[in-house]
Amino acid sequence: MRFASRLTTAVSALGLLFASHLSAAAETIKFGVTAGPHAQIAEALKPIAKAKGLDIEVVEFSDGALIDPATNDGDLDANGFQHTPYLDQQNADRGLNLVSVGRTVLLPMAGYSRKYKSLDALPDGAQVSVPNDPSNEGRALKLLEAGGIIKLTPGSTFKATELDIIENPRNIKIIPMETAQLPRSLEDVDFSVITSHFALSAGLVPKRDGLLVEDELSQYFCLIGVAEKNKDAPWVKTLVESYQSPEVKQFIETTFKGNVIAGW
């Protein structure tokens, strides 16, 4: 009887150990990010999440357009690289079903020039490059409006286009361009409006180099995105809590010195 009892106990212990290993495996996720600040923050996030029982495999992309479809299809479990207008546009254009589960950081958009040292110095007919994806093009136009360079139709949102420009006293020429190419365009244009992700990767610092820098507009804070079917999964809560931790916030403040802003 004692042997049988011990055998039963051993089997139960093995069962619990096996279940524990299965649980640990289930708590390993793939987290998609773009290269640069988002990837740096994701690496800082890993030990915080691991201490809470969540292993994160960071998957870095050079092309952010691939991340949402991969998350939607299950090749990634979550992502952390985009703001709400971009996610909304991706869902609408690609028929995806992704949702935001938590706010992360703001990467301020700013305007740069290799040729001029102030906005006032921009000449009549200046060539101004902006992102060509719909959400960020409108964002750039609103920043140009905030700088007094153009005026948009009252009530214009991030969906604004060149058709919404109602005043253009300097006759600037808007040149939409793939976002990743914008830093390189600085040699060929008079002024370029670039998101911090690509600016920082190219050695441009908004607070130091920007002639025009975006305010903290809440709709442009980045987010953690997951497939809607996963939004209530236990690991999602752990991921968000780990990201929005004091340790990650301290890393952001120390590393980026105000050029990337924690949103919690």
Side-chain angles (χ1 to χ4, degrees):
M1 291 289 291
R2 286 181 181 176
F3 176 76
S5 176
R6 288 173 183 166
L7 181 60
T8 300
T9 301
V11 170
S12 297
L14 284 171
L16 287 171
L17 182 61
F18 182 67
S20 174
H21 281 303
L22 285 178
S23 176
E27 293 296 308
T28 299
I29 66 163
K30 291 185 177 182
F31 188 60
V33 295
T34 45
H38 289 302
Q40 291 175 263
I41 296 169
E43 290 296 334
L45 162 67
K46 287 171 64 175
I48 311 302
K50 189 170 182 63
K52 297 177 182 291
L54 181 65
D55 285 323
I56 297 177
E57 178 185 341
V58 177
V59 184
E60 191 174 312
F61 288 74
S62 58
D63 185 356
L66 302 175
I67 298 179
D68 279 334
T71 306
N72 191 73
D73 294 343
D75 296 320
L76 298 172
D77 298 291
N79 64 57
F81 77 103
Q82 65 194 320
H83 51 59
T84 298
Y86 183 86
L87 175 62
D88 291 345
Q89 196 74 45
Q90 289 286 294
N91 278 336
D93 291 349
R94 300 188 176 209
L96 308 181
N97 197 19
L98 303 181
V99 296
S100 168
V101 292
R103 197 160 80 160
T104 58
V105 296
L106 174 69
L107 280 75
M109 181 175 274
Y112 304 88
S113 178
R114 297 279 193 216
K115 301 176 181 178
Y116 305 99
K117 294 185 177 181
S118 71
L119 287 179
D120 291 339
L122 288 179
D124 187 77
Q127 293 185 316
V128 178
S129 58
V130 300
N132 66 356
D133 66 273
S135 60
N136 279 317
E137 181 177 2
R139 180 183 181 186
L141 293 176
K142 288 181 70 66
L143 181 60
L144 291 173
E145 180 179 45
I149 298 173
I150 59 172
K151 187 173 181 181
L152 300 172
T153 303
S156 292
T157 68
F158 68 88
K159 294 183 178 180
T161 69
E162 291 179 64
L163 296 177
D164 291 296
I165 298 174
I166 57 175
E167 292 184 20
N168 185 4
R170 301 194 205 184
N171 300 304
I172 66 166
K173 182 180 180 182
I174 301 292
I175 305 174
M177 190 176 294
E178 187 176 345
T179 308
Q181 302 299 320
L182 289 170
R184 299 174 200 170
S185 77
L186 279 172
E187 303 300 331
D188 303 312
V189 300
D190 298 298
F191 191 72
S192 183
V193 183
I194 311 172
T195 59
S196 283
H197 166 73
F198 290 99
L200 291 169
S201 297
L204 296 166
V205 179
K207 282 195 168 184
R208 182 191 69 202
D209 305 315
L211 303 185
L212 177 62
V213 183
E214 183 180 60
D215 292 330
E216 295 185 25
L217 302 175
S218 61
Q219 64 263 46
Y220 297 120
F221 272 90
C222 295
L223 56 89
I224 294 173
V226 301
E228 186 171 18
K229 64 183 180 182
N230 292 328
K231 67 179 181 179
D232 297 319
W235 61 262
V236 171
K237 182 179 179 181
T238 304
L239 174 61
V240 174
E241 288 178 350
S242 300
Y243 202 118
Q244 296 178 345
S245 65
E247 295 90 342
V248 171
K249 188 171 187 176
Q250 183 62 51
F251 171 81
I252 292 167
E253 291 173 350
T254 301
T255 304
F256 301 109
K257 305 184 187 309
N259 292 297
V260 177
I261 301 165
W264 65 93

